[in-house]
Amino acid sequence: MKLDKVQLTHFRNISSATLLPSRSLTVITGKNGSGKSSLLEAIFYLGFGRSFRTAKHRSVIQHEQPAFSIFAQGTNDNEATFKVGMERRNTDQFTCSIDGEHSHRLADLVSLIPVQLFTPQSTDLVIGSPAERRKFMDWGLFHVEQSFHGLHAAYTKLLKQRNALLKQNATLKEPQHNYWQEQLVVVGEKLDLQRQRYMEALKPVFNAISSEFLPEFSVEISYYKGWEKEASLAEALDKKYEYDFRVGHTSSGPHKADVRFKVNGINAQEILSRGQLRMAVAALQLAQTALFSKQTNRKSIFLLDDVGAELDIDKRERFIDGLLAMDTQIFVTAIESQQLEFVDKYNDKKMFHVEHGHVTEE
Ligand SMILES: Nc1ncnc2c1ncn2[C@@H]1O[C@H](COP(=O)(O)OP(=O)(O)OP(=O)(O)O)[C@@H](O)[C@H]1O
């Protein structure tokens, strides 16, 4: 899919802006604090329903305003045009509309617009908590497996139920609790199977790309399902039952899943420099884009924030070349256009400049 128009109102320091991006490469430059990341943040909102900088929607609403809104128009992968809009109020009320139909279901909106992001914090994907890597895997699954969203929501609910019972010191072996435990196992195993399949498909794509990005290392990714490899989820829960009962929460299951990065058998973060870690992340994201495109026949949108600070010139170019080769619509921010001299070679691009929240096309 491609975005042809993005309009923001009362979003951070941007009172009102309209961006008519390129379907290929859009470059946004501006000084620190000018508002260029806010433009990416707005597009990210369309793809995730949240910010990549804060969990508080209110912080994103322009000071002294009651709400922000984002409107976008584009073409989906069947060449049909669409219009979407969303609004977040300072009362925490959320509304969105898709082709004029109002909805309060975020999943309806975000399933339409597949967005990925690379920022100065992207190394968290390797060195941050497992939750970051689960989000990464689940992005792929959300856009590929129709049942994933429902399964994930059901698992989260059942897990909450089990944890609440553990906190109340209820013995889960009692027959009235069996149903919840059994459901948790059924849903949890299905979730795990989807993640396993996804990671198996991602591995070879990642291997090929990482050998190009980090030719001096052999980086391997592996999937950890959240409990012992050989055991079923029922067995794992059973084995940890006494412990879970003592601590009052469930210590194994798909909510503990992870993706592990190893270089020559050693944890990647112990070997790779920060720059190399960024390249590993870039390779992983390129692999995800390629797999998304292959599995769904759709195109994603890629946001690259502060690209100059992130990758050296050669890798920057390779990253963008790789994304464009997959017909990804890219939005790049940089403080100065000198950091992006290589973009001269791309014909199909648009350049914008942001100053104090005002966006102008160059
Ligand atoms: N809710 C808000 N209302 C008004 N202004 C805000 C709000 N939140 C943040 N700002 C301001 O909006 C600007 C947002 O800038 P943004 O982070 O998009 O800048 P940037 O151009 O990406 O800068 P940098 O290069 O430093 O990352 C900042 O000047 C910030 O102080």
Side-chain angles (χ1 to χ4, degrees), residues 12-13 31-38 53 59 61-63:
R12 299 265 190 202
N13 67 336
K31 290 188 184 146
N32 288 130
S34 57
K36 52 192 184 305
S37 303
S38 303
R53 303 199 279 190
S59 313
I61 301 171
Q62 190 168 38
H63 300 319

Side-chain angles (χ1 to χ4, degrees), residues 275-287:
Q276 288 164 336
L277 279 169
R278 284 186 204 122
M279 285 181 234
V281 172
L284 193 66
Q285 293 196 312
L286 264 182

Side-chain angles (χ1 to χ4, degrees), residues 11 41 71 91 140 143 179 186 226 283 333 356:
F11 194 96
E41 193 179 23
F71 167 84
T91 50
H143 287 288
Y179 172 79
V186 170
T333 69
H356 304 301

Side-chain angles (χ1 to χ4, degrees), residues 119-250:
T119 74
Q121 284 76 43
S122 288
T123 46
D124 282 357
L125 195 52
V126 182
I127 60 178
S129 74
E132 299 287 332
R133 294 180 286 281
R134 283 195 294 276
K135 271 191 223 157
F136 169 83
M137 268 191 289
D138 292 351
W139 181 91
L141 281 162
F142 175 76
H143 287 288
V144 169
E145 295 279 353
Q146 273 200 342
S147 59
F148 176 77
H149 181 62
L151 271 180
H152 193 275
Y155 180 79
T156 308
K157 208 165 148 190
L158 290 160
L159 180 67
K160 247 188 194 162
Q161 177 83 9
R162 186 179 197 263
N163 287 342
L165 289 170
L166 287 168
K167 276 204 183 79
Q168 290 159 20
N169 285 335
T171 62
L172 296 180
K173 311 245 167 183
E174 283 166 20
Q176 72 265 36
H177 300 319
N178 275 354
Y179 172 79
W180 298 110
Q181 172 101 353
E182 279 167 17
Q183 286 303 302
L184 184 80
V185 165
V186 170
V187 174
E189 292 274 11
K190 282 188 188 161
L191 200 60
D192 167 55
L193 197 64
Q194 290 196 349
R195 283 181 175 157
Q196 258 182 59
R197 280 203 213 114
Y198 183 71
M199 290 305 295
E200 279 313 307
L202 187 68
K203 251 188 240 174
V205 190
F206 173 75
N207 290 345
I209 296 175
S210 97
S211 62
E212 208 189 295
F213 266 69
L214 282 167
E216 61 275 45
F217 295 103
S218 144
V219 186
E220 274 174 43
I221 51 170
S222 63
Y223 168 62
Y224 167 67
K225 58 185 183 171
W227 70 94
E228 284 168 47
K229 216 175 186 177
E230 276 74 34
S232 68
L233 180 53
E235 287 165 348
L237 290 175
D238 210 38
K239 194 170 166 193
K240 285 290 192 75
Y241 176 68
E242 300 299 333
Y243 175 80
D244 290 357
F245 189 67
R246 224 173 37 246
V247 295
H249 63 83
T250 307

Side-chain angles (χ1 to χ4, degrees), residues 307-361:
V307 72
E310 286 305 287
L311 297 169
D312 62 36
I313 189 97
D314 170 51
K315 293 293 188 308
R316 232 176 281 167
E317 187 170 353
R318 204 175 287 190
F319 195 16
I320 293 179
D321 278 351
L323 290 169
L324 289 176
M326 293 181 236
D327 197 16
T328 308
Q329 187 177 23
I330 311 177
F331 295 81
V332 180
T333 69
I335 294 178
E336 287 163 343
S337 46
Q338 286 93 301
Q339 290 170 325
L340 293 161
E341 262 169 9
F342 67 89
V343 302
D344 287 347
K345 74 174 189 187
Y346 303 110
N347 294 327
D348 186 6
K349 63 170 183 291
K350 282 194 176 187
M351 312 283 287
F352 293 87
H353 187 71
V354 190
E355 217 173 314
H356 304 301
H358 295 285
V359 185
T360 42
E361 190 173 344

